[in-house]
Amino acid sequence: MLDNFFIESKRFIKKNNLPYKRYFIETHKLSHRLSIIQGARGIGKTTTIAQYLSNYEMDKVLYISLDNILMSNNHKIIEIAEEFEKNGGHILCLDEIHKYTNWSQELKNIYDKYDNLKIIVSGSSAMHIHKGSYDLSRRAVVYNMEGMSFREFLNLHYQYAFNNYRLDDIVENHEEIAELIINSLHNIKIIPLFKKYLDYGYYPYSISMNNKDDFYKTLQQSINAAIESDLISVYPNLSGVSINKIKKLLLSIMSSVPFKPNFSELQKILDIKDTRTLKEYLVYLDDAGIIKMLMANSMVYKNIGKPEKIYMADTNIMNLASKDIGNMRETFFFNQLSCYYSIISNNKGIYSNKSGDFICEEKYIFEVGGKNKDFNQIRNTDNSFLALDDIEIGYKKKIPLWIFGFLY
């Protein structure tokens, strides 16, 4: 039964074992017996898995994509795991796990039955392990993989080897850090590189695209697939009517980002009778990596409370909707900081603030703007900073916006 799977597995690893390694493989060793990697479409999960598996003997690892045509012959993953383990297999990788109907029960059974088998699973960022028919939260370690930072974009596209910095380091030493980075560019200007990142740098596959038009077409297709395919796989009770309303909701958000939601108005536009359903749709789009909801504080949960603002998930997606530079700057800052806090598991994170645009870790207040932005709005606020676009090196509480792309 496994012969064809092994052939496909070896071909997959050889094809996708690319030289550049994302932050994820550098910081996560996947040492637990059941590791689940979640993330939006196109952010590099598949390549990362291939790079991880390439460190082992090919006969000891097996990669299977659950949307592969080979799985259409009613193969069960628990049967594959049993035969693989009997033949001396060590690492079983199951990609696109949300495409498999009974995934949570069979993963639980594989984990409980085969102590010597290591399982790596990847799936949609909309997938929740505790919402499956069997709760895996006590068995699995779940990792959220994010898209590329500005630092990673420079390292991948231009073969640099820049390190990342914590937010505390940037706030306290941004002048020295910026000077070090700029000197390492060898007379290449940082601002034009930053603009390129805002256009197409969040998704690693952009490096293989012939032009920006091809990239944006692919990105649009990924968004459609995330809504029409991934969400239905994760939430099978969603109907065609529901999917159309989610798309309509997304169009409403895209037409005015950052979007300040008026729930009553949205319910009328979408013909939704209760606020609970509207909040669920927003959470679906957020979980799928299409939008990001900015909440008031860490005590307001996305599936319960009302977001203060709604942004597109990253600047590349925002380019499909708007070219407004002010919104682009805020989207970049929110994206990079929220990714950073997801990676370091800091639930204090980034939230809305009445004095400035954002508050981070309940202590740093940031106002985001162009190089001529002043302190009027946050003049009397402690621990307040300006994150300014179009400056290479800052001064004291004026920090270059681009440097927040070096957080991970």
Side-chain angles (χ1 to χ4, degrees):
M1 177 176 71
L2 293 185
D3 288 352
N4 288 333
F5 285 118
F6 267 117
I7 292 170
E8 288 292 320
S9 177
K10 291 176 182 179
R11 183 182 297 140
F12 159 81
I13 295 170
K14 183 178 180 179
K15 178 182 176 182
N16 292 282
N17 182 25
L18 304 179
Y20 178 74
K21 292 180 172 58
R22 291 288 318 281
Y23 81 90
F24 188 91
I25 204 165
E26 295 175 350
T27 56
H28 298 93
K29 302 306 180 186
L30 305 184
S31 57
H32 191 67
R33 233 175 15 97
L34 175 55
S35 298
I36 298 179
I37 305 170
Q38 297 178 210
R41 279 178 170 260
I43 50 89
K45 299 189 299 294
T46 297
T47 299
T48 296
I49 288 169
Q51 291 169 330
Y52 181 80
L53 295 180
S54 68
N55 294 317
Y56 299 88
E57 296 178 35
M58 289 298 98
D59 292 335
K60 303 295 183 182
V61 301
L62 180 62
Y63 167 90
I64 296 176
S65 177
L66 275 304
D67 63 355
N68 189 307
I69 192 170
L70 293 175
M71 291 299 297
S72 63
N73 295 326
N74 295 320
H75 291 301
K76 291 186 176 181
I77 59 174
I78 192 165
E79 293 172 349
I80 292 172
E82 180 180 10
E83 186 168 342
F84 180 54
E85 196 267 349
K86 282 182 180 177
N87 285 278
H90 288 171
I91 302 175
L92 175 63
C93 179
L94 302 168
D95 201 2
E96 301 284 333
I97 193 68
H98 59 282
K99 301 285 188 181
Y100 189 83
T101 304
N102 204 27
W103 61 269
S104 58
Q105 179 183 359
E106 291 198 34
L107 280 182
K108 173 187 175 295
N109 293 341
I110 293 169
Y111 179 89
D112 291 345
K113 189 172 182 180
Y114 303 110
D115 292 341
N116 296 322
L117 198 60
K118 187 173 182 178
I119 312 139
I120 300 172
V121 173
S122 77
S124 166
S125 55
M127 185 177 71
H128 296 279
I129 62 169
H130 61 277
K131 288 187 177 180
S133 56
Y134 287 78
D135 185 1
L136 295 171
S137 58
R138 290 173 296 172
R139 293 172 172 83
V141 175
V142 181
Y143 303 93
N144 293 308
M145 189 171 176
E146 308 292 351
M148 286 207 302
S149 65
F150 179 40
R151 177 190 76 90
E152 289 187 292
F153 169 76
L154 293 175
N155 289 351
L156 172 60
H157 284 254
Y158 299 96
Q159 292 77 55
Y160 291 108
F162 290 118
N163 296 320
N164 63 302
Y165 301 89
R166 294 184 64 86
L167 182 62
D168 290 342
D169 297 329
I170 288 176
V171 167
E172 295 171 11
N173 305 302
H174 62 88
E175 294 174 51
E176 294 86 351
I177 294 171
E179 188 172 356
L180 176 66
I181 293 169
I182 288 170
N183 288 339
S184 299
L185 292 174
H186 304 300
N187 297 321
I188 299 175
K189 294 296 185 180
I190 191 75
I191 300 301
L193 293 175
F194 180 53
K195 303 303 182 187
K196 289 181 180 179
Y197 171 80
L198 297 179
D199 274 353
Y200 57 82
Y202 190 68
Y203 297 90
Y205 64 80
S206 65
I207 197 169
S208 64
M209 298 282 110
N210 293 325
N211 53 61
K212 283 201 292 185
D213 288 341
D214 289 347
F215 169 72
Y216 288 127
K217 286 177 184 176
T218 303
L219 181 57
Q220 182 66 64
Q221 291 167 3
S222 293
I223 292 171
N224 289 334
I227 296 173
E228 297 171 359
S229 177
D230 295 347
L231 286 182
I232 289 178
S233 295
V234 176
Y235 303 101
N237 292 331
L238 284 175
S239 65
V241 173
S242 301
I243 290 297
N244 286 334
K245 288 183 178 182
I246 291 172
K247 284 185 173 181
K248 196 172 181 179
L249 172 60
L250 178 60
L251 288 174
S252 296
I253 295 168
M254 292 178 81
S255 66
S256 179
V257 286
F259 185 81
K260 296 183 179 180
N262 182 321
F263 278 10
S264 298
E265 184 177 333
L266 281 174
Q267 284 177 228
K268 289 180 182 178
I269 292 172
L270 302 175
D271 190 24
I272 295 175
K273 295 181 180 180
D274 62 288
T275 303
R276 179 184 60 82
T277 301
L278 177 58
K279 288 179 179 177
E280 284 181 353
Y281 288 173
L282 288 172
V283 171
Y284 294 165
L285 288 171
D286 188 282
D287 285 347
I290 300 170
I291 66 171
K292 282 186 182 289
M293 293 190 283
L294 180 66
M295 311 305 289
N297 55 62
S298 60
M299 301 304 293
V300 181
Y301 298 101
K302 292 179 181 179
N303 59 341
I304 299 174
K306 179 181 177 182
E308 296 293 310
K309 291 182 182 179
I310 301 173
Y311 292 84
M312 303 316 296
D314 57 78
T315 60
N316 299 175
I317 293 180
M318 186 186 160
N319 274 316
L320 298 173
S322 169
K323 298 290 185 180
D324 182 83
I325 188 60
N327 294 340
M328 187 73 71
R329 292 162 178 159
E330 288 186 32
T331 300
F332 166 77
F333 187 90
F334 184 30
N335 166 268
Q336 297 287 276
L337 269 294
S338 59
C339 289
Y340 168 66
Y341 289 121
S342 169
I343 292 165
I344 67 172
S345 301
N346 184 333
N347 63 0
K348 290 183 179 179
I350 179 169
Y351 295 95
S352 177
N353 184 258
K354 292 180 180 178
S355 299
D357 291 319
F358 305 98
I359 183 168
C360 298
E361 301 175 21
E362 299 178 357
K363 61 179 179 179
Y364 298 126
I365 294 173
F366 292 97
E367 182 75 9
V368 180
K371 62 182 179 181
N372 295 320
K373 184 88 174 178
D374 58 38
F375 279 95
N376 285 341
Q377 190 169 335
I378 54 175
R379 186 175 300 280
N380 298 317
T381 306
D382 293 335
N383 257 349
S384 58
F385 303 86
L386 294 178
L388 301 180
D389 196 9
D390 293 318
I391 64 170
E392 290 189 341
I393 298 177
Y395 179 68
K396 291 187 176 179
K397 291 193 171 187
K398 292 184 176 183
I399 306 175
L401 179 62
W402 62 262
I403 206 170
F404 293 97
F406 281 72
L407 288 166
Y408 71 95

